[in-house]
Amino acid sequence: MEKGKYLALVGTGALFGSVSTIFFLRLLQNHKKVVRQYNKNATELNGLETCTIAGKKNDKAVNEDLLKDEIVSEHLTRNIQFFGFESQQKVSASYVVVIGLGGVGSHAASMLLRSGVGKLLLVDFDQVSLSSLNRHAVATRADVGIPKAQCLKEHFSSIFPECQVDAKVLLYDSSTEEEILSGHPDFVLDCIDNIDTKVALLAACVRRGLKVLSATGAGARADPTRIRIADLRESTNDPLSRSVRHRLRKDHGIEGGIPVVFSLEKPKAKLLPFKGPNGEEENPSDYQIVPGFRVRIIPVLGTIPAIFGQVMASYVVTELAGFQVQTEPIVNFDTDHYHTLHQRLIEHEELVYGTSQQVQVDVEEVMYIVKELWHGRSARDQLVKEVGRGMWRSVNELMLVRWDCEKPASISNLILLKFKEVDEHESRTLDDIKEKEPEFYNSVNAVLKRAEIDFGYAH
């Protein structure tokens, strides 16, 4: 009997799926067909590639009524179910610029398109090569030799033709900044692997007040579980990040505040030696077409830049939708550190309150409080200053104390402070903090409220 019900349900589901598919296929047959046109003549560096799609102009504002189209709404139905209609509308009304369309950028742009971003500007001066097919999102052998920007635009026209896609075969520099960054984009994706260009782009975005997400080195790595998103200041294991961080601070006075996608994994390989036409090692700079751009090759496992791009797209889409995602913080503590902090809490409770019986957290919960809530830093110092070894050393001056001394030392009533901050905190009332430091008071309460929600204490 149960088996019969199960088969009936499966049959009904299959029938419904078939009917809906036929319905939308008929809609598609009546939908305006998009004609793809290649223009393979514009291959000069810094030349503007006008990749046109017949019957579609890309110089207008984003169409805010995209979701009213039946085919578009069906295309994005899973996103709408995930975000909600209004949030998906924000995504579909957004304009995003992607600069650098190799392994990282092509995957990022592809998923932004599939996620319903209403307008995209794709920028890259390079062409599709055979060796890039191991990591490119859409390129085929038929695309080898054409500009990457044009390649993406042509393929995109058959995936989500309603998106306004502009493609520019252009090298980003000071002379092209206005052309690329004008138009008030909602987000800029930096997928460039050249330090000079990357630094110039990031500095320009900061100067213009544009939201930007930067990708660091994806080459010579193999472990997808070690990819993270954090402030540029926290990407300590990545050589490209280190160089960019130094240049931004030295040349532009920018200390941080730029989110980056990076890997905690140390590179598994180095740049390969450059060999000239005769097969002998030669000076790579003698063969540079564009000054400052790398000629030597770094080995790349194609899956890693693809995942970098997917991570970037996910970050941007959720930001555009206003969907809150708590990224995993980069905290370089080990188990011994959390045991130390737990023991410190017990000793402090015994000293101040005469007993440790109101300590309601174990070492695992201390790990959550320190890592997830306070990111390994004092509640009074949530801006990133100490990273790497500096953060490792900082545990020697941190301890957990009650936020409200009238309540137990529970997961939603513990804050991380430096030793020198503890006495002052415990000598004040919460009312005093609320009156004199309302911003700090509200920010701490917001963090502790998150702990209540995460552990099911909120009502």
Side-chain angles (χ1 to χ4, degrees):
M1 183 69 177
E2 292 298 320
K3 185 177 180 182
K5 289 180 180 178
Y6 173 77
L7 291 173
L9 283 170
V10 171
T12 303
L15 178 61
F16 178 78
S18 300
V19 170
S20 65
T21 300
I22 292 170
F23 172 74
F24 281 103
L25 281 174
R26 287 180 177 174
L27 270 180
L28 281 168
Q29 289 171 357
N30 296 325
H31 203 69
K32 186 175 181 180
K33 292 184 178 180
V34 179
V35 181
R36 299 187 302 164
Q37 296 181 343
Y38 276 86
N39 180 357
K40 296 187 178 182
N41 298 321
T43 56
E44 290 186 12
L45 182 64
N46 278 346
L48 173 63
E49 167 63 51
T50 308
C51 295
T52 58
I53 297 179
K56 187 174 180 200
K57 294 182 180 179
N58 295 319
D59 55 353
K60 60 183 179 181
V62 182
N63 180 6
E64 296 187 1
D65 295 328
L66 269 179
L67 297 186
K68 292 182 179 179
D69 185 294
E70 290 179 286
I71 291 178
V72 172
S73 63
E74 177 65 13
H75 172 157
L76 298 171
T77 185
R78 296 296 187 271
N79 282 51
I80 294 170
Q81 291 165 350
F82 186 84
F83 288 132
F85 186 84
E86 289 184 3
S87 293
Q88 181 59 42
Q89 265 193 324
K90 295 176 184 177
V91 176
S92 297
S94 297
Y95 170 39
V96 179
V97 177
V98 184
I99 305 173
L101 304 173
V104 176
S106 65
H107 282 274
S110 180
M111 281 312 302
L112 290 172
L113 177 90
R114 291 180 184 275
S115 299
V117 170
K119 185 174 181 180
L120 289 169
L121 172 59
L122 310 174
V123 182
D124 199 312
F125 72 92
D126 203 3
Q127 299 176 345
V128 177
S129 65
L130 269 172
S131 64
S132 66
L133 297 185
N134 83 316
R135 57 195 181 279
H136 200 276
V138 299
T140 68
R141 289 190 179 181
D143 298 314
V144 171
I146 71 168
K148 290 178 180 178
Q150 179 184 343
C151 169
L152 280 177
K153 179 169 182 176
E154 293 293 339
H155 283 280
F156 284 6
S157 69
S158 62
I159 298 170
F160 187 33
E162 292 79 11
C163 178
Q164 299 170 42
V165 182
D166 288 322
K168 295 181 185 292
V169 182
L170 213 58
L171 171 66
Y172 178 86
D173 59 23
S174 58
S175 68
T176 58
E177 175 188 324
E178 179 63 23
E179 183 176 352
I180 293 171
L181 297 182
S182 62
H184 308 290
D186 297 289
F187 238 106
V188 177
L189 270 66
D190 159 38
C191 305
I192 302 168
D193 60 5
N194 172 261
I195 294 175
D196 293 342
T197 310
K198 182 179 286 287
V199 169
L201 172 61
L202 295 176
C205 288
V206 171
R207 187 176 66 252
R208 288 170 171 261
L210 298 176
K211 289 185 177 180
V212 60
L213 175 64
S214 179
T216 63
R221 291 169 174 85
D223 186 356
T225 67
R226 307 198 71 188
I227 298 171
R228 299 286 188 274
I229 301 177
D231 190 278
L232 178 64
R233 286 171 289 197
E234 295 184 83
S235 53
T236 54
N237 280 10
D238 181 64
L240 180 58
S241 294
R242 194 179 304 118
S243 299
V244 171
R245 191 165 54 243
H246 172 74
R247 288 277 304 278
L248 282 172
R249 183 173 59 250
K250 178 184 175 184
D251 299 342
H252 302 280
I254 298 172
E255 293 286 342
I258 299 172
V260 296
V261 178
F262 69 103
S263 175
L264 293 169
E265 181 183 11
K266 291 184 178 180
K268 294 285 190 290
K270 298 179 180 180
L271 285 170
L272 299 177
F274 181 80
K275 294 183 178 180
N278 59 4
E280 297 181 1
E281 289 190 22
E282 296 190 31
N283 185 356
S285 60
D286 294 338
Y287 291 83
Q288 284 181 333
I289 299 173
V290 181
F293 273 73
R294 190 181 69 234
V295 174
R296 291 167 65 192
I297 296 169
I298 188 167
V300 180
L301 181 64
T303 54
I304 300 302
I307 296 170
F308 264 62
Q310 301 286 340
V311 170
M312 294 184 84
S314 184
Y315 179 91
V316 170
V317 170
T318 52
E319 283 283 313
L320 294 173
F323 187 84
Q324 292 294 320
V325 175
Q326 291 289 340
T327 57
E328 183 178 9
I330 310 301
V331 179
N332 297 325
F333 293 163
D334 59 28
T335 305
D336 289 341
H337 290 127
Y338 298 114
H339 276 283
T340 298
L341 289 166
H342 185 248
Q343 185 60 35
R344 238 174 239 167
L345 170 63
I346 291 172
E347 293 172 359
H348 184 71
E349 286 280 313
E350 291 174 344
L351 178 65
V352 176
Y353 301 101
T355 178
S356 62
Q357 289 185 353
Q358 292 202 53
V359 175
Q360 299 179 357
V361 293
D362 56 22
V363 173
E364 186 175 333
E365 289 166 332
V366 165
M367 183 183 300
Y368 165 83
I369 295 167
V370 173
K371 184 176 181 179
E372 299 291 337
L373 297 185
W374 303 111
H375 300 179
R377 295 182 288 276
S378 165
R380 287 194 167 276
D381 189 19
Q382 284 302 291
L383 291 176
V384 183
K385 290 184 179 179
E386 298 290 353
V387 295
R389 291 183 180 178
M391 180 176 282
W392 185 87
R393 288 193 297 268
S394 72
V395 73
N396 294 322
E397 58 181 44
L398 290 171
M399 64 184 296
L400 289 166
V401 296
R402 300 186 196 187
W403 170 241
D404 184 345
C405 65
E406 301 295 325
K407 296 180 180 179
S410 67
I411 202 162
S412 59
N413 190 41
L414 285 170
I415 62 173
L416 196 60
L417 292 175
K418 294 178 181 177
F419 290 161
K420 61 185 179 182
E421 298 166 339
V422 172
D423 288 342
E424 181 189 355
H425 172 71
E426 293 184 330
S427 68
R428 301 174 65 186
T429 65
L430 289 187
D431 287 339
D432 180 52
I433 295 173
K434 182 177 181 180
E435 179 184 348
K436 295 177 180 177
E437 299 179 88
E439 187 176 349
F440 173 66
Y441 177 86
N442 291 331
S443 68
V444 170
N445 278 335
V447 171
L448 296 178
K449 185 67 175 177
R450 179 190 159 199
E452 289 184 359
I453 294 170
D454 286 353
F455 281 81
Y457 299 144
H459 298 291

